[in-house]
Amino acid sequence: MYNEEDYLQLSGIQHFSFCRRQWALIHIEKQWAENPLTAEGQIVHSRAHDASATELRNGVLTVRALPIHSAVLGVSGECDAVEFIQSEDGISLHGREGLWTVRPVEYKRGRAKVGDCDRLQVAAQAMCLEEMFSCRIDSACLFYYETRRRETIAVGSELREQVEKMLTEMHKLYQDGYTPKVKPSKGCANCSLAETCLPDLMKPGDRSVADYIKEHMESV
Ligand code: SF4
């Protein structure tokens, strides 16, 4: 169990699974820079949070921008939306009649990704909600703005183990204040922190660090 002051930002899971160094630059070193992709992501989330009112439609109660946390995982954050679905297998909710199952919904720019970063983030949200509402959540949803598609994912044991393992590693790095070294990947081309991280310094080739700095200064 973690103390509240040691909670990490849940959304960091996505950064961490994309690149451990990017996560450390943002969450340990407090570096941030926007690029078109991050700006688009901010717009998507502000849109998702626009309808801040709770809505009940066809037996589904939707609550937007719900703060969440888990003392077991040591994280806190916010769900874009949480759907409470009327069901005999559900839990009771304060001020509402009947029983309800719980399902987080995360809104994303673009389309479904090859990697697991979005699935890990929404699975971690489901695990927080389980702890908060003392319930079991078997599925969660991702909505992609570009394709206008909603993907339902199973929150299975493999995904849960990945979330736990990743968060344990994140807590360790955070406590040690350690930023992992550059590991250039295809993702560097889309990384808003490339100017801070300087991944080109690690590329194999015949350029020396002095050559790189000279070239960079000339371009500036
Ligand atoms: S530039 Fe590449 S190595 Fe550096 S933080 Fe971004 S993704 Fe990670």
Side-chain angles (χ1 to χ4, degrees):
M1 295 286 251
Y2 290 89
N3 293 322
E4 224 171 292
E5 61 269 23
D6 296 324
Y7 285 3
L8 298 176
Q9 270 182 47
L10 186 147
S11 58
I13 282 196
Q14 212 200 3
H15 302 135
F16 195 80
S17 98
F18 174 70
C19 167
R20 280 154 168 70
R21 180 171 169 83
Q22 191 203 58
W23 169 80
L25 287 172
I26 296 170
H27 296 267
I28 299 176
E29 299 193 23
K30 312 293 179 204
Q31 302 289 325
W32 182 247
E34 290 283 6
N35 70 7
L37 295 176
T38 58
E40 202 186 327
Q42 306 269 17
I43 293 167
V44 163
H45 279 102
S46 61
R47 257 193 237 156
H49 291 185
D50 254 2
S52 51
T54 298
E55 176 186 49
L56 178 59
R57 195 186 290 181
N58 300 328
V60 179
L61 176 72
T62 305
V63 179
R64 297 188 195 277
L66 185 76
I68 53 171
H69 66 271
S70 161
V72 174
L73 298 174
V75 285
S76 63
E78 196 173 75
C79 280
D80 287 339
V82 178
E83 293 177 345
F84 297 92
I85 304 136
Q86 272 181 332
S87 162
E88 287 178 4
D89 305 331
I91 51 157
S92 55
L93 291 178
H94 180 71
R96 299 274 171 184
E97 281 184 18
L99 299 175
W100 309 77
T101 55
V102 187
R103 184 168 59 195
V105 184
E106 175 70 11
Y107 290 81
K108 294 288 177 198
R109 58 160 198 86
R111 51 182 61 225
K113 300 174 188 71
V114 179
D116 270 340
C117 54
D118 294 345
R119 284 181 278 278
L120 287 164
Q121 186 182 357
V122 79
Q125 291 175 359
M127 291 162 82
C128 288
L129 290 164
E130 284 180 335
E131 196 177 314
M132 291 166 64
F133 289 97
S134 301
C135 65
R136 173 83 185 174
I137 299 176
D138 295 318
S139 66
C141 292
L142 289 160
F143 180 87
Y144 291 95
Y145 269 95
E146 188 182 326
T147 51
R148 314 294 298 174
R149 284 188 70 118
R150 182 170 157 133
E151 184 186 307
T152 302
I153 61 146
V155 184
S157 55
E158 208 177 304
L159 206 52
R160 287 168 188 271
E161 276 165 29
Q162 261 182 285
V163 168
E164 284 164 1
K165 198 168 156 236
M166 215 166 247
L167 281 167
T168 303
E169 206 183 325
M170 287 160 72
H171 276 289
K172 172 85 176 76
L173 289 174
Y174 196 87
Q175 273 163 16
D176 295 347
Y178 178 73
T179 300
K181 293 197 168 44
V182 177
K183 210 170 163 189
S185 69
K186 278 188 197 161
C188 296
N190 292 325
C191 176
S192 68
L193 289 174
E195 285 290 311
T196 307
C197 167
L198 301 178
D200 284 357
L201 282 177
M202 293 298 287
K203 277 191 185 156
D206 52 9
R207 276 191 314 170
S208 65
V209 171
D211 285 344
Y212 176 84
I213 292 172
K214 185 165 172 272
E215 192 182 300
H216 189 70
M217 292 307 287
E218 279 168 5
S219 72
V220 171

